[in-house]
């Protein structure tokens, strides 16, 4: 890696439980493209102060992860339509102290729905109601899915999100099955209290044809492992992480890496 120096451009990520996914992906591409840039992950103790630091220190880009995707809205100057449409932010770009918020999660989910040829006539269970859930629900709605049930314990958030996209809301998934099951909660995330838990039951996995987990670390969450063992089509959070990070990279640098470079960065990211 390029030696640290005063002219180096800094990008960061903010998350309650940071991973090395973005750090490895972005830094690999900086090195491959000969950019004098560096990327570092942080767990902020004060979100407002962290965003003030982005502005005040001239940090070029800032990725936003759980649970800050909605809280950060009040702290930026501009909202790109990609973020405004779903009231959720996962990317901030700093142009001379002006902070513009974007959302690349939506495009990542939309691409994976298309790449995997998911049938819009399929029934879908979405579990979660946070910022990532908004991006996921919007992507499924815009892809043409209508038989969608949103599972969320928080009735206010769950009902509001379901109503926004014309879906059904339930407080829990007990007794519910669907062709496509999607986890958009921290269940199964490394380092969390539920890292070894299944976000859907074994019966729900067995009844599904597609198992989708947006949790990126580990790539093989308990839900993904269960889906593979049951012979289901699986879509992993690591795939989401790669696609959304690529679009962040382009927003930060103005450079779109080649497909070969992206594959190499993805392999490096997963080999941690």
């Amino acid at each position: 890696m390029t030696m640290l120096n005063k002219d180096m451009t800094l990008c960061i990520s903010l998350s309650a439980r940071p991973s090395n996914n973005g750090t490895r992906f972005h830094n690999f591409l900086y090195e491959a493209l000969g950019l004098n840039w560096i990327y570092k992950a942080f767990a902020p103790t004060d979100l407002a102060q962290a965003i003030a630091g982005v502005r005040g220190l001239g940090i070029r880009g800032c990725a936003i992860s759980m649970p800050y995707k909605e809280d950060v809205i009040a702290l930026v100057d501009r909202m790109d339509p990609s973020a405004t449409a779903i009231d959720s932010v996962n990317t901030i770009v700093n142009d001379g102290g002006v902070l513009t918020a974007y959302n690349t999660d939506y495009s990542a989910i939309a691409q994976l729905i298309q790449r995997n040829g998911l049938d819009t006539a399929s029934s879908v269970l979405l579990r979660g109601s946070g910022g990532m859930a908004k991006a996921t629900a919007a992507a499924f709605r815009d892809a043409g899915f209508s038989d969608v049930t949103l599972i969320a314990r928080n009735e206010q958030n769950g009902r509001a999100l379901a109503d926004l996209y014309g879906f059904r809301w339930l407080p829990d998934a007990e007794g519910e099955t669907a062709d496509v099951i999607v986890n958009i909660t921290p269940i199964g995330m490394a380092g969390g209290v539920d890292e070894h838990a299944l976000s859907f039951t074994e019966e729900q996995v067995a009844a599904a044809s597609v198992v989708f987990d947006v949790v990126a670390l580990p790539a093989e969450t308990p839900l993904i492992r269960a889906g593979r063992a049951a012979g289901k089509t699986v879509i992993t959070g690591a795939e989401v992480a790669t696609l959304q990070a690529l679009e962040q990279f382009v927003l930060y640098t103005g450079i779109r890496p080649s497909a070969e470079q992206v594959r190499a960065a993805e392999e490096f990211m997963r080999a941690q």
Side-chain angles (χ1 to χ4, degrees), residues 161-180:
L161 183 55
D163 290 346
L164 181 63
Y165 295 109
F167 299 154
R168 181 175 66 138
W169 167 80
L170 288 174
D172 61 62
E174 185 176 353
E176 296 290 322
T177 60
D179 303 315
V180 181

Side-chain angles (χ1 to χ4, degrees), residues 6-202:
K6 68 179 181 63
D7 298 316
M8 183 168 275
T9 298
L10 173 64
C11 290
I12 68 172
S13 66
L14 300 177
S15 173
R17 291 200 289 272
S19 77
N20 278 321
N21 283 344
T23 302
R24 291 174 68 88
F25 183 88
H26 286 269
N27 284 324
F28 181 94
L29 288 175
Y30 297 157
E31 186 75 11
L33 293 165
L35 300 178
N36 188 25
W37 290 49
I38 192 167
Y39 189 104
K40 175 74 170 67
F42 292 94
T45 56
D46 187 304
L47 182 63
Q49 289 181 351
I51 298 302
V54 171
R55 192 193 310 273
L57 295 173
I59 295 170
R60 170 58 178 168
C62 178
I64 305 294
S65 296
M66 296 181 193
Y68 306 120
K69 293 174 186 279
E70 296 164 308
D71 294 341
V72 78
I73 291 173
L75 304 174
V76 301
D77 302 306
R78 299 174 181 168
M79 291 278 284
D80 181 78
S82 63
T84 302
I86 55 177
D87 287 324
S88 177
V89 172
N90 82 325
T91 306
I92 297 173
V93 177
N94 182 1
D95 291 299
V98 177
L99 305 185
T100 303
Y102 299 81
N103 194 301
T104 65
D105 290 328
Y106 170 90
S107 61
I109 299 294
Q111 288 182 60
L112 289 168
I113 290 171
Q114 184 177 31
R115 283 186 187 182
N116 287 275
L118 302 193
D119 185 356
T120 57
S122 299
S123 56
V124 182
L125 285 179
L126 302 179
R127 182 169 187 179
S129 61
M132 188 65 179
K134 289 182 178 179
T136 304
F140 271 88
R141 189 276 309 272
D142 293 348
F145 290 81
S146 58
D147 185 3
V148 179
T149 300
L150 186 80
I151 308 298
R153 289 176 295 179
N154 185 311
E155 180 173 359
Q156 182 177 353
N157 292 347
R159 279 191 184 278
L161 183 55
D163 290 346
L164 181 63
Y165 295 109
F167 299 154
R168 181 175 66 138
W169 167 80
L170 288 174
D172 61 62
E174 185 176 353
E176 296 290 322
T177 60
D179 303 315
V180 181
I181 55 175
V182 189
N183 175 46
I184 328 166
T185 75
I187 297 173
M189 183 181 293
V193 294
D194 295 319
E195 67 176 316
H196 301 300
L198 270 177
S199 48
F200 290 93
T201 66
E202 293 181 359

